[in-house]
Amino acid sequence: MRQPLVAGNWKMNGSLESIGVLLDGIKAGMEDVTKAAVAVCAPAIYIPTVQQQLQGSAIAWGGQDVSAESAGAYTGEIATSMLKDFGCTYVIVGHSERRAYHGESDQLVARKFAAARAAGLVPILCVGETLEEREQGITEQVVARQMDAVIELEGVAALADGVVAYEPVWAIGTGKTATPEQAQDVHGFIRGRVAELDGGVAEGLQILYGGSMKPGNAAELIAKPDIDGGLIGGAALSAEDFLGICRAAN
Ligand code: PGA
């Protein structure tokens, strides 16, 4: 049995004050979330604050991006060792916003995955097609290409140390959720592709869905056999909504 995971992706939102209130609210409602793992991925500058508030709680934390390089002259970048220094468990790599607005290639994302893994962080590898790609009928090709970059660099066994998040770009922040069937199709495809290389890795791989997941649609998405939780953007900014999804996953 794979443990469900619900990870919040706060993106570039929040302030010292609002993060304090949000985390207090989440912590206060966690007593009935006993089976699902829960994490929040914060803007880098707030990670020390998140660590202070979450240390000793059942909630893990992580970054939203990380450098593929280990140290040196990379202005503005954050290294995996820095995330480790502040107790991060997870780091998101290859979010579609990074791919789209920062030109991150499949190969760079694979190197970030490798760097995170080497540092003992759990990379959350985001994959997913744009609306145009879905309409062209190439969803599976796109997702396969994004997965294969990591498999080619690190080998399929590396996926045992990570998490995959399927996030159809057209569903992110748009209020348009993939139907449970649409999501399951792609999740099943991802697991099947990994299974062709290593059945054990495929069986253990947590594959999260992301894209307008809300308390009202989380349960039916996560009920699908290959959907193991969620990567939550907008709804992760409200303690009530985030907890609603955590309970559904639980
Ligand atoms: P959303 O974002 O839940 O706001 O659609 C999900 C994500 O981008 O990780």
Side-chain angles (χ1 to χ4, degrees), residues 9 11 95 97 167 171-174 210-213 231-235:
N9 171 15
K11 308 193 181 185
H95 191 280
E97 287 150 16
E167 300 205 307
I172 294 177
T174 58
S212 301
M213 198 187 262
L231 183 57
I232 318 302

Side-chain angles (χ1 to χ4, degrees), residues 98-250:
R98 304 269 342 153
R99 293 180 190 259
Y101 308 144
H102 302 272
E104 293 194 7
S105 66
D106 297 332
Q107 285 65 36
L108 177 62
V109 172
R111 290 182 56 231
K112 291 184 174 196
F113 185 101
R117 185 172 166 250
L121 292 161
V122 179
I124 302 177
L125 169 67
C126 297
V127 299
E129 82 289 2
T130 62
L131 182 58
E132 202 183 2
E133 289 163 338
R134 173 160 285 263
E135 283 169 351
Q136 283 169 24
I138 57 169
T139 296
E140 292 187 352
Q141 275 116 288
V142 169
V143 168
R145 192 197 71 218
Q146 293 168 335
M147 293 289 303
D148 286 356
V150 171
I151 295 170
E152 276 158 26
L153 184 68
E154 285 281 270
V156 69
L159 290 175
D161 301 329
V163 173
V164 171
Y166 168 58
E167 300 205 307
V169 178
W170 49 271
I172 294 177
T174 58
K176 263 198 226 169
T177 319
T179 65
E181 292 69 30
Q182 279 174 325
Q184 167 57 31
D185 280 351
V186 182
H187 283 237
F189 169 76
I190 293 170
R191 198 179 307 286
R193 193 166 173 92
V194 175
E196 284 170 19
L197 301 169
D198 190 316
V201 171
E203 191 48 42
L205 182 63
Q206 288 169 315
I207 308 177
L208 314 182
Y209 169 79
S212 301
M213 198 187 262
K214 303 266 164 353
N217 60 27
E220 52 171 0
L221 283 158
I222 298 171
K224 291 292 179 190
D226 291 304
I227 302 182
D228 305 310
L231 183 57
I232 318 302
L237 299 173
S238 144
E240 194 188 330
D241 288 352
F242 189 64
L243 284 165
I245 298 170
C246 294
R247 292 190 187 108
N250 200 60

